[in-house]
Amino acid sequence: MKSAVIVFPGSNCDRDMAVALEKITGTKPLMVWHQEYDFDKVDFIALPGGFSYGDYLRCGAMSARSHIMKEVIKRAEAGVPTFGVCNGFQILTETGLLPGALMRNANLHFVCKDVKMTVENTDSMFTSTYAAGEEITIPVAHHDGNYFADSDTLDRLEGEGQVAFKYAEDINGAQRRIAGILNGKGNVLGMMPHPERMIEPALGGSDGRKLFESVMNRLG
Amino acid sequence: MKARIHVTLKNGVLDPQGKAIEHALGNMGFDGVEAARQGKYIELDLKSTDRAAAEKEVDEMCRKLLANTVIENYSIDLE
């Protein structure tokens, strides 16, 4: 499985993502700088966590309009599996590839800890190796992870299985405790928690590993 | 021409920073504040001298970048 990690000025989880992808897929991912217009054909695109462009204007707002994102949007719309973590999730909502927005945490605190979440959809290409309703532990580290969408959108997301993960307990004020969502086609996933930081016992757990393995299984 | 843009959170969208400001003012003894909402102010110097064209262009800037219309409203003043 060939993958690419998109790197923005201010990304800081790009290397974590690259290490996880290399360990799990066996292939070093392509690191793609935000000023590029194009990159080699890959099977999987990752948008890493961080504070791209210093979170200026809104988290992810600048990155979503960068040169490289035009190409990422084109490929995601064509069906290439695209995965955004934390700032990557914020970027995906800012591009419109995923609905809703991520706002400042309701209690205004930066949340940095391991959190329990439940796997809400195990049919997706990102979650198929988890058990239905499985509770997993994945770290979060964010200031703006408070997922917001209007109630019609939330109903649709829940009704159509587009909610991939929910926090077991409220940590940031996110509507309906949403931690991660899929697009309608199921090839784009955005989530606030960092599965790439939980891929082996030495890191404190390996609950994040199955996410990458699910994608590998699906892609063959 | 100058464009002055206000970006504010939509009604019904929780504004934790506004709430914190409201509480801080209350704690400081300003007990006349019923609610506080925080927004952004953006000022642009425009090349354009054509008001209608500028209005159209700034509106597009707001929709495409300056505001996230999922959660925010915007207003534009030109002068």
Side-chain angles (χ1 to χ4, degrees), chain A residues 57-58 61-62 65 93-94 99-108 146 148-150, chain B residues 7 9 12-17 20 40 42 62-68 70-72:
Chain A
L57 192 64
R58 297 178 304 276
M62 299 296 175
R65 279 89 183 164
T93 60
E94 279 284 341
L102 290 144
M103 304 185 53
R104 181 52 50 100
N105 293 345
N107 61 11
L108 296 173
N146 176 357
F148 179 87
D150 61 55
Chain B
V7 180
L9 283 174
V13 174
L14 177 71
D15 175 12
Q17 294 175 98
K40 294 189 185 91
I42 300 162
C62 287
R63 281 184 285 109
K64 289 191 171 169
L65 175 66
L66 302 178
N68 179 345
V70 174
I71 48 172
E72 293 169 330

Side-chain angles (χ1 to χ4, degrees), chain A residues 22-187:
Chain A
E22 187 176 355
K23 283 202 170 186
I24 297 168
T25 69
T27 309
K28 226 181 171 60
L30 204 62
M31 303 304 278
V32 182
W33 183 237
H34 71 118
Q35 284 174 326
E36 302 291 329
Y37 286 85
D38 201 1
F39 53 102
D40 289 349
K41 188 171 173 292
V42 293
D43 308 305
F44 182 80
I45 300 170
L47 301 173
F51 299 86
S52 59
Y53 292 87
D55 283 346
Y56 289 177
L57 192 64
R58 297 178 304 276
C59 302
M62 299 296 175
S63 303
R65 279 89 183 164
S66 61
H67 294 314
I68 199 62
M69 283 309 294
K70 290 195 182 81
E71 181 63 20
V72 171
I73 292 166
K74 204 163 83 187
R75 294 192 194 192
E77 283 174 344
V80 175
T82 304
F83 176 47
V85 170
C86 201
N87 191 219
F89 184 14
Q90 294 161 343
I91 295 169
L92 287 172
T93 60
E94 279 284 341
T95 61
L97 283 170
L98 292 174
L102 290 144
M103 304 185 53
R104 181 52 50 100
N105 293 345
N107 61 11
L108 296 173
H109 291 295
F110 190 97
V111 192
C112 182
K113 61 181 182 183
D114 290 350
V115 297
K116 286 192 166 51
M117 26 176 234
T118 52
V119 184
E120 297 290 313
N121 172 344
T122 52
D123 294 329
S124 87
M125 66 182 305
F126 299 93
T127 55
S128 59
T129 58
Y130 290 107
E134 187 175 341
E135 189 171 84
I136 59 175
T137 301
I138 304 279
V140 295
H142 62 249
H143 212 167
D144 298 79
N146 176 357
Y147 183 75
F148 179 87
D150 61 55
S151 52
D152 288 348
T153 304
L154 293 168
D155 288 344
R156 197 184 69 236
L157 289 174
E158 289 194 317
E160 297 184 3
Q162 285 178 246
V163 177
F165 302 103
K166 284 190 176 188
Y167 304 111
E169 288 171 11
D170 179 31
I171 60 158
N172 55 20
Q175 301 277 306
R176 304 191 192 179
R177 285 187 284 106
I178 287 173
I181 55 167
L182 296 152
N183 67 340
K185 276 202 277 186
N187 70 305

